Amino acid sequence: MTDTRMLDQGTQPIRFARGWHCLGLASDFADGKPHAVQGFGTKLVVWQGGNGELNVLDGYCRHMGGDLTQGEVKGDHIACPFHDWRWGGDGKCKEIPYARRVPLRARTQRYETVVRNGQLLMWHDPEGSAADHELLPPELPDVMTDKYTPWSWHTKEINGSHCRELIDNVADMAHFYYVHFAFPTSFRNIFDGHTATQFMESKGRPDTMGGGYGDENSTLKSVATYYGPSYMINWLEVDYKGFITEVILINCHIPTGPTSFTLQYGISVRKPEGLDEKTCAYIAERYTESFGDGFLQDVAIWENKVAVQNPLLCEEDGPVYQLRRWYEQFYVDVADIAPEMTDRFEFEVDTTKANEYWHAEVADNLAKRAAAEADAEAAAPADA
C-alpha cells in the first residue's frame, strides 16, 4: 500500500453543456453570407436572411450531407451547394426547386438565437428543450452606445483541454500571482442558481514585466460573473496612477469537442470624460492587449496540464469542488439537477498568509535584480 496520491484524470463528458453560448459579434454574421462555426462536436451554419434575422442550423444538409456553409443565402433561406435544397431558420426545408413537393419529414436541427449586447447567442440543450430566456445574461445598457468604445473581439482555439479548465479559474485565487503576476488582496466567491461570481481586488507585481493583471502601477477591482456554463461578464475598475478606467470584459467559449473549445473575449471601455476619440481608442487598445496577454498566460497552462478530477487542495485554494458541483448542473438532465448544484454558496479566501509570503518573495527578487544590475555595471568597461 502506497501513501502516494494518484492523479485521477477521469473521462471527459460526452455531452455538451446546456445553456446559452456566444458565437461572436452579431455584426460579423450580418453580411448575407453563410458562416461556419465549429461547435458541439459538429459544424454550424450561421446566416442572416433577407428579413434581417440571424439563424443557426446544423451545418450539414439532411438530404445527402452537403455542407451548408459552402452554400448560398437565397432570400431568407440557406441553399445547399449540392442540390439546392433550401432551409429556413426554423429548421424546415422550404423549397426543392427540382421537386414537386418537399418531404414532410424534411427538418434539420435548428438553434434558437438572441442578440444580446451586440453578440449572437444560441441555446443548446441535449434534451432539446425550448430556450430559457430567463437564463440570458443581462443587458449592458451603455455598451453599444457612444459612452463606450466598440467591442474589441478576439478568438483563440484551445486544444487538449476541456472547457472546465477555464471555469476552474473562478475559484483559483493563487494563480493570479503565479500566472498573471498580481497580488490578490481580496478574493471571494458566490455561487447561486445558474450564476457563479468571483469578487477580487488586486495590484500588480513590481518584479515582473507586467502583462495581464501584472502592471505594478495598477490596482484592480473585479467582479466576474458566469451566467450559465460559458458566458462571463467581468466588470473591471482599473486605477492606474490615480486615473480610473471602467472596463467590461466578456469571456466566453464554444465547446468544440471533449478536449477542445474556442475561447472568445471582447473588451469595451467606458470613454473617460474630456478625452478625444483617438485617445479613448488608444486606451481601449492598451487594455485589450493587457487582458489579452492574460488569456494567453492561461492558455499556456491549459494546453500543457492534465485534467485532475481529485485535486489536492489547501485552504487558500478556494471552493474548487463546490464550483465544480455548480458547473455540473449544465451537464445533467434538468430532472437530475440536485440542490447542492444550485443552492447559494459563499466563500471568502483569507489572503493574509499568501500575501506575507508573496511580498517577501517579490522583495527578494527585486534585491537580487538590483545586485545583478550593480554587478553588471561594475563589470562594464569604462568609456574611453
Side-chain angles (χ1 to χ4, degrees), residues 172-214:
D172 189 347
M173 181 273 294
H175 96 285
F176 282 97
Y177 175 82
Y178 294 104
V179 179
H180 300 307
F181 309 133
F183 297 107
T185 55
S186 175
F187 194 95
R188 66 189 178 98
N189 291 121
I190 296 178
F191 312 143
D192 191 7
H194 76 292
T195 66
T197 303
Q198 174 199 93
F199 301 86
M200 183 180 70
E201 296 182 11
S202 68
K203 56 184 179 180
R205 287 173 53 178
D207 62 329
T208 66
M209 300 301 293
Y213 295 79

Side-chain angles (χ1 to χ4, degrees), residues 299-315:
V299 169
I301 299 293
W302 297 330
E303 292 189 328
N304 290 282
K305 71 182 295 296
V306 297
V308 182
Q309 300 298 112
N310 62 336
L312 180 62
L313 304 177
C314 63
E315 291 179 33

Side-chain angles (χ1 to χ4, degrees), residues 20 28 31 33 37 45 57 62 79 87 94 151 212 256 270 275 317 325 332 334 342 362 381 383:
W20 291 99
D28 289 342
D31 57 2
K33 300 178 182 178
V37 175
V45 59
L57 300 180
R62 292 315 194 244
W87 299 90
K94 301 297 186 180
W151 288 116
T256 54
R270 177 179 282 276
L275 296 183
D317 284 326
R325 280 198 290 273
V332 299
V334 171
T342 57
V362 167
D383 291 338

